[in-house]
Amino acid sequence: MGDTSSGTLLQGLLRAIAPNQPRSLLPRVALDPPTFLLPHDRSILLGRDPGCHVAVDAEAYPIVSRHHALLEPLREFGTILGWRAIDRQSANGTLINGKPIRVWDLHSGDRLQLGQDGPEFLYTCVSGDSPTQIEKPQPRTPPQG
């Protein structure tokens, strides 16, 4: 997830991987491709429904469920530790680093994909207040299950 030993605030970024150009209700960071700041105070819904916090193009990605996956903040004693990805029983599954998951605690560098041929996002953990202070990605592979 992230190192909180220094006492710095952790931020989560979700970056769309081309050609994915989602519409989002989340704050956007001035980076290209589209990159969204994950809020600490609520869960984030990803899917093709226009009401999702991060909504993908339904015509471009028909395999994505209306409410495909959820990202929820992980806290301990009021401190944000990172984010968890949860598949919402989608028809085509949610993958982390190419492997199907039901629930996964995200680590900086993890690639989240909505279905085998669906849109991809890169999760990055940011220390401090500046989204330019990005930790070096260290993706992991989910266990076979």
Side-chain angles (χ1 to χ4, degrees):
M1 287 175 285
D3 177 19
T4 58
S5 59
S6 64
T8 59
L9 178 67
L10 288 181
Q11 297 286 341
L13 295 177
L14 192 64
R15 178 177 292 182
I17 297 176
N20 180 17
Q21 296 289 316
R23 182 192 59 73
S24 179
L25 303 175
L26 302 177
R28 187 167 171 177
V29 178
L31 295 173
D32 196 40
T35 304
F36 310 104
L37 187 63
L38 299 176
H40 292 167
D41 61 346
R42 65 183 176 274
S43 297
I44 302 304
L45 188 59
L46 294 90
R48 61 180 167 80
D49 187 288
C52 289
H53 297 99
V54 177
V56 301
D57 184 338
E59 288 184 27
Y61 298 106
I63 68 161
V64 173
S65 296
R66 289 182 64 233
H67 299 147
H68 199 104
L70 189 69
L71 300 181
E72 65 179 25
L74 296 173
R75 294 184 193 84
E76 185 174 280
F77 304 111
T79 301
I80 192 80
L81 300 176
W83 281 262
R84 174 174 288 152
I86 303 168
D87 180 73
R88 303 238 338 172
Q89 299 179 337
S90 62
N92 293 296
T94 299
L95 294 88
I96 300 291
N97 304 323
K99 304 289 184 188
I101 60 102
R102 289 187 186 181
V103 176
W104 182 256
D105 290 349
L106 292 166
H107 287 71
S108 195
D110 282 346
R111 293 172 84 99
L112 179 141
Q113 188 172 14
L114 305 179
Q116 185 67 40
D117 296 317
E120 265 189 291
F121 297 88
L122 176 67
Y123 168 79
T124 308
C125 189
V126 179
S127 297
D129 297 326
S130 173
T132 59
Q133 300 172 350
I134 298 175
E135 291 181 356
K136 183 176 179 179
Q138 298 175 6
R140 301 175 308 131
T141 303
Q144 298 290 341

